[in-house]
């Protein structure tokens, strides 16, 4: 009977476990269809203790951050170094020939091993044939969160990289000497995220240009390279930038992904990579990697770097919240290194270290919470202060810099619109940066949760006019643009102004549409009939210059500086003219003066005689029939639109907190395959409507993923509902009965297995009934506290550490 009971247990467990993989595999397959998941992370080192402790830290942080895909160490060793090297087990390793001593010139330059190692990996590693995206890091880095190429906006031909502003050679004779396309030279380094096809084109040129710059000793001077030592040590960095320029790679430059410990991150920014290449200090404690050049700490059991101050001490030593965030990053860096060493020493079979408050902290829940994976906000792809290069077309002609603005308020209604617009901005290929102009009252700002949704410039709210008391939130748009111009230094030549309720489908550039000083580009708003009647005669001295435009604005910054104040002033003027609110004057269906801001724009532009270039091929409202062959750059979902029984109306979702409710989404539009193909115009109209709805939902999905929402099957109510003014809307899953049935079936199987297991235990215990009760009690206590294998003891020790540190820190 015991054998039968055991068999029942085995069968039940196998059946129950066998029910799980198909669902999991289906989920992976579904996710795999949404994005190319084949990512490979590379870093280059040499056979030295100096790189070994860096390797332990990087690989530990790689796992802790849950970076997708494998990681490979490119290990460059001479034959002599390889014979005595003891660190082969520290990381998945691909050995590459050492070029520290150049085989032809004899030049000693170990940094060249980075491009040389990548060339060798591409040529000889099978892994390179099974990857779509490559993340290239330096060994002296700590990963804080997953680096996902498509979430960063990386595209084929457009890698993502960190900003290295000191590479001044991109702007002087050095670039002119070493690349045929100096205008394409990007000041980048540290982190590279690129498509494998781009890396194959770049790598040989990276190596060649490194050799070329290294040999150009006449231009090693600090005034030319920015290298403070003037020894050509950063030749490899220029080799990358010049090589990328040669093959035509346009980088998406980011100044927020990576930070040096000791630096202060911008408010609202959470770096996902730390580069400890420079010395840093917290109070009287300091760390410099160069002080550990010969340190065998990886191989010395239970030896660690000097412990930094504890978080509570940091809180006490610095009151400024921004500076304190910087100090927290510094201690996180060294603590993560030490945590990696602690785990590595344990894997070596080192004896258990003596208890200390610091080791207790590293094992505590507090430290685990502080260092859980950080997820990048999409808006971190750009920074207002980051130096932007001029944009060039395929002919190499330089183009002016652009900055995109949009205006919102502190409201859930604008938050989900912000998520959609910023997501589409990064996918669109729009050059330059984007900034949200956020208008909030002090009270709104105190309870606002959406600070991390976009790069943000905060402006005072004018929803309630400070002089008249008039409630008119639309005035915040011109007021915010004026505030931004007066408080932000920008080197952009053209400003693109959008509304929050827009989805970008492609770049909107002044050179494509012919914008120039004195001639902004915009889209037609034919219903602004006030340009043709008494309204224009009253509110502008130049009614003949009044253009019926709105929605998308492309304007030279010099024009905008002159115009913004008039835009605000004319908006106030039209809003105060209640005698002419009527529909026959304004075209406003509600005759409530709600479109006063639009007239403020048109009348203000007329005052300066800004004549617009009106383009009908930039913007379309979903639900409208598109012109055949036109590739619209913007969806403006300001009006209700529908496809069959499905519809979308932004006003319905005014009070729905789609951003802070995990996995909230809008009802899914129909599948395109279900559409009728009888009328081509209707088909194209519906396809565009579906695209708009799907893009909004995709943006929300990625937002919730970055916010580290729990898996949908872990939510207590997986068929979660968002209520909007008494109306319920489906959010996460529709028709979830199949999944529910599967879970019930699995629970039943597990219950059966547990019952069978209890039956077996009962039989076993009955066969030992004659044994003493004292021995039985001893077994029960022993099983609960310790185990001969040490597993339960480890858990018990961890619990002690957690309790002790709760009182220490």
């Amino acid at each position: 009977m015991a054998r039968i009971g055991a068999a029942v247990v085995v069968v039940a467990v196998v059946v129950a476990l066998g029910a799980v993989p198909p669902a999991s595999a289906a989920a992976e397959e579904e996710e795999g269809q949404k994005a190319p998941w084949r990512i490979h992370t590379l870093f280059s080192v040499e056979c030295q203790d100096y790189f070994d402790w860096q390797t332990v830290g990087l690989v530990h942080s790689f796992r802790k951050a849950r970076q997708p895909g494998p990681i490979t160490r490119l290990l460059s060793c001479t034959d002599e170094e390889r014979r005595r090297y003891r660190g082969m087990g520290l990381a998945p390793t691909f050995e590459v020939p050492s070029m520290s001593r150049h085989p032809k010139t004899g030049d000693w330059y170990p940094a060249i091993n980075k491009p040389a190692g990548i060339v060798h990996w591409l040529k000889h590693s099978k892994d390179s044939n099974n990857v779509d995206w490559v993340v290239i890091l330096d060994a002296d880095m700590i990963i804080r969160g997953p680096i996902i190429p498509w979430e960063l906006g990386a595209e084929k031909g457009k890698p993502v990289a960190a900003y290295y502003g000191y590479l001044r050679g991109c702007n002087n004779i050095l670039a002119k000497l070493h690349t045929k396309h100096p205008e394409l030279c990007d000041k980048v380094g540290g982190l590279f995220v690129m498509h494998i096809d781009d890396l194959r084109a770049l790598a040989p040129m990276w190596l060649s240009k490194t050799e070329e710059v290294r040999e150009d000793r006449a231009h090693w001077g600090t005034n030319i390279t920015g290298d403070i030592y003037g020894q050509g040590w950063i030749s490899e960095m220029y080799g990358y930038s010049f090589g990328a320029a040669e093959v035509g790679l346009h980088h998406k430059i980011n100044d927020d992904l990576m930070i040096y410990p000791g630096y202060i991150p911008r408010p609202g920014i959470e770096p996902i990579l730390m580069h400890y290449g420079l010395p840093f200090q917290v109070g009287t404690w300091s760390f410099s990697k160069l002080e550990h050049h010969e340190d065998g700490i990886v191989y010395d059991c239970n030896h660690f770097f000097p412990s930094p101050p504890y978080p509570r001490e940091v809180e006490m030593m610095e009151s400024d919240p921004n500076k304190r965030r910087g100090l927290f990053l510094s201690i996180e860096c060294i603590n993560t290194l030490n945590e990696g060493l602690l785990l590595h020493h344990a894997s070596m079979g080192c004896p258990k270290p003596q208890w200390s408050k610091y080791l207790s902290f590293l094992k505590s829940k507090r430290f685990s919470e502080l260092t859980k994976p950080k997820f990048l906000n999409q808006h971190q792809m750009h920074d207002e202060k980051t130096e932007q290069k001029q944009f060039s077309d395929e002919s190499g002609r330089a183009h002016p810099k652009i900055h995109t603005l949009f205006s919102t308020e502190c409201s859930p209604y604008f938050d989900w619109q912000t998520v959609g617009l910023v997501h589409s901005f990064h996918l669109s290929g729009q050059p330059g940066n984007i900034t949200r102009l956020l208008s909030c009252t002090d009270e709104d700002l105190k309870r606002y949760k959406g600070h991390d949704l976009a790069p943000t410039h905060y402006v005072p709210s004018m929803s309630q006019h400070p002089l008249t008391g008039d409630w008119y939130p639309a005035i915040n748009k011109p007021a915010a643009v004026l505030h931004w111009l007066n408080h932000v230094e920008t080197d952009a030549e053209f400003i693109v102004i959008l509304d929050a309720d827009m989805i970008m489908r492609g770049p909107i550039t002044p050179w494509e549409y012919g914008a120039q000083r004195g001639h902004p580009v915009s889209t037609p708003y034919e219903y602004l009939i006030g340009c043709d009647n008494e309204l224009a005669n009253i509110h502008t001295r130049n009614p003949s210059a009044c253009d019926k435009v709105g929605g998308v604005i492309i304007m030279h910054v010099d024009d905008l500086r002159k115009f913004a104040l008039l835009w605000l002033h004319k908006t106030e003027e039209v809003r105060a003219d209640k005698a002419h609110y009527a529909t026959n004057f304004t075209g406003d269906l509600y005759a409530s003066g709600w479109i006063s801001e639009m007239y403020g724009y048109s009348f203000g532009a007329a005052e300066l005689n800004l004549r617009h270039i009106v383009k009908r091929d930039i913007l379309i409202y979903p639900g409208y029939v598109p012109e055949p062959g036109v590739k619209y750059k913007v969806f403006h979902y300001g009006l209700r639109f529908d496809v069959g029984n499905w519809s979308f109306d932004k006003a319905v979702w005014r009070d729905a907190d789609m951003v802070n409710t995990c996995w909230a989404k809008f009802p899914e539009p129909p599948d395109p395959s279900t559409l009728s193909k009888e009328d081509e115009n209707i088909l194209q109209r519906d396809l565009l409507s579906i695209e708009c709805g799907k893009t909004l939902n995709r943006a929300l999905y990625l937002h919730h993923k970055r916010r580290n929402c729990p898996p949908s099957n872990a939510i207590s109510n997986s068929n979660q509902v968002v209520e909007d003014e008494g109306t319920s809307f489906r959010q996460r899953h529709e028709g979830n009965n199949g999944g529910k049935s599967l879970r019930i079936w699995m629970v039943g199987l597990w219950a059966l297995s547990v019952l069978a297991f209890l039956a077996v235990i009962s039989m076993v215990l009955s066969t030992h009934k004659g044994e003493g009760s004292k021995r039985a009690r001893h077994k029960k206590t022993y099983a609960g506290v310790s185990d001969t294998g040490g597993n339960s003891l480890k858990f018990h020790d961890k619990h002690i550490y957690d309790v002790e540190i709760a009182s220490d820190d």
Side-chain angles (χ1 to χ4, degrees), residues 405-409 414 435-439 459 473-474 476-478 480-481 497-500:
L405 301 176
F406 69 103
S407 174
T408 70
E409 300 158 40
F414 286 106
T435 296
R436 170 180 61 166
L437 307 178
L438 184 62
S439 304
V459 298
N476 283 312
K477 185 175 182 179
V481 170
I497 302 174
L498 304 177
D499 290 336

Side-chain angles (χ1 to χ4, degrees), residues 157 172 316 360 390 507 565:
N172 59 36
M316 295 174 64
S360 176
Q390 284 200 323
L565 184 58

Side-chain angles (χ1 to χ4, degrees), residues 477-490:
K477 185 175 182 179
V481 170
L482 180 63
H483 192 277
W484 182 82
L485 287 169
N486 288 334
H487 292 82
V488 173
E489 292 184 12
T490 180

Side-chain angles (χ1 to χ4, degrees), residues 47 66 76 114 209 223 253 361 372 536 595 640-641 676 683 702 717 768:
C47 286
R66 303 174 194 164
S76 306
K114 187 174 183 179
K209 290 296 177 182
N223 62 320
I253 304 174
F361 170 68
K372 64 184 179 181
I595 60 175
R640 173 191 166 97
F641 57 99
S676 169
L683 174 63
L702 293 174
N717 180 9
H768 296 283

Side-chain angles (χ1 to χ4, degrees), residues 315-328:
E315 290 173 351
M316 295 174 64
M317 72 173 63
E318 181 55 65
S319 59
D320 184 282
N322 291 322
K323 293 180 180 178
R324 190 165 60 235
R325 286 182 65 225
L327 296 180
F328 269 116

